[in-house]
Amino acid sequence: PSGREILAVDGVSLTVQEGEILCLLGPSGCGKSTLLNLLAGFIPPSRGTVHFAGQPVIKPAPERAVVFQDAALFPWLTAAQNVEFGLRRLPRKERRQRALDMLGQVGLADFARAHPHELSGGMRQRVAIARALALKPKVLLMDEPFGALDANTREHVQDELLRLWERYQTTVVFVTHNVHEAAYLADRVAVMGPAPHSLCGWRQVEIPRPRDRDGQAVLELSQALREDLSQIPCCVAPNRRPEEEQ
């Protein structure tokens, strides 16, 4: 019924290490996005606490930037203006320059004046990443940001993310249900199952970077993650080849 409270996540203890890419991997409805929203400060925990750098998280803050599955750009603003949006406290010239610099970092310097409808899905998502990184966050929270992209574009934007992560050393918490994406990107993988007691296990990823997405190590880890998911009650693991996972 409407207004009924639902326990989405319970009994989860999670520590994110500085500078790592942590993937939250699991099926829809397991609480991945709820955890991300708690980390972002969008929702308060009904019990328990969330801390960042020793301080309680009580509201959103620029130090914890979020990239959503949908790019969530303002359609009436240009790419540069969308990136500038979170920088309104800076002097106009400084925020404009930072926006242009970040668009250059994601390969969109020539599209600064383009509106979202003039950009492809992958380009819009790169604008969203540029907007988040323009805040110079300490943590980048990403909620299935590449889920709506075609396979080729998804791989390209994954590589862009890794390049930017290596340059800025930003801590990344990345929500996905794609085992191959987790194996390719993550330093650690939190394997999640049915809510509310959804944190089922961990995988430390020892594969050196740069990684070959089609290499044996990544494919073996992908299979291991599928097996982890398949052993969780009421959790159906993906049974597709990496190039088929969207």
Side-chain angles (χ1 to χ4, degrees):
S2 178
R4 182 172 59 123
E5 291 187 358
I6 297 175
L7 185 60
V9 177
D10 190 31
V12 171
S13 179
L14 179 71
T15 300
V16 184
Q17 299 172 8
E18 185 176 1
E20 76 171 337
I21 299 179
L22 171 65
C23 280
L24 306 180
L25 173 69
S28 298
C30 71
K32 304 185 303 295
S33 294
T34 299
L35 273 178
L36 206 75
N37 286 330
L38 287 166
L39 296 176
F42 292 149
I43 56 175
S46 54
R47 61 175 178 262
T49 57
V50 180
H51 285 80
F52 174 78
Q55 299 298 315
V57 172
I58 58 175
K59 62 181 180 180
E63 63 196 9
R64 289 169 279 111
V66 183
V67 178
F68 302 97
Q69 182 170 356
D70 183 285
L73 303 180
F74 296 110
W76 58 89
L77 299 180
T78 65
Q81 289 167 340
N82 268 285
V83 177
E84 285 184 64
F85 187 80
L87 306 174
R88 287 166 294 173
R89 293 184 179 181
L90 296 179
R92 182 176 181 180
K93 184 176 181 180
E94 182 179 347
R95 70 172 184 255
R96 181 68 175 181
Q97 189 58 54
R98 188 183 298 185
L100 294 176
D101 289 345
M102 288 311 309
L103 286 173
Q105 289 297 319
V106 298
L108 293 176
D110 294 337
F111 294 88
R113 296 184 178 181
H115 286 81
H117 73 273
E118 300 174 292
L119 303 174
S120 69
M123 294 166 76
R124 288 194 295 271
Q125 205 62 353
R126 281 189 278 162
V127 173
I129 293 171
R131 179 177 59 188
L133 288 176
L135 299 171
K136 297 184 177 180
K138 296 192 180 295
V139 180
L140 188 61
L141 304 170
M142 309 188 79
D143 192 0
E144 298 193 44
F146 312 144
L149 304 179
D150 65 84
N152 288 336
T153 302
R154 184 176 193 146
E155 291 180 359
H156 178 70
V157 183
Q158 286 171 352
D159 290 338
E160 287 287 335
L161 172 63
L162 289 174
R163 183 181 62 80
L164 292 167
W165 169 76
E166 289 175 355
R167 173 165 184 164
Y168 294 103
Q169 293 297 298
T170 303
T171 303
V172 178
V173 181
F174 191 102
V175 166
T176 184
H177 61 263
N178 184 307
V179 293
H180 190 257
E181 184 165 66
Y184 183 62
L185 294 178
D187 294 303
R188 281 193 303 155
V189 181
V191 180
M192 301 182 67
H197 305 287
S198 53
L199 184 54
C200 300
W202 293 91
R203 284 273 180 178
Q204 185 74 41
V205 182
E206 305 291 351
I207 306 171
R209 301 183 189 275
R211 296 174 185 168
D212 179 357
R213 69 175 69 250
D214 297 316
Q216 190 66 25
V218 170
L219 296 178
E220 286 179 357
L221 178 56
S222 297
Q223 183 58 37
L225 291 170
R226 284 192 186 88
E227 292 172 1
D228 288 345
L229 291 172
S230 71
Q231 294 171 14
I232 299 171
C234 302
C235 180
V236 179
N239 191 28
R240 295 174 291 179
R241 292 174 297 179
E243 64 268 24
E244 296 175 333
E245 293 176 354
Q246 300 297 321

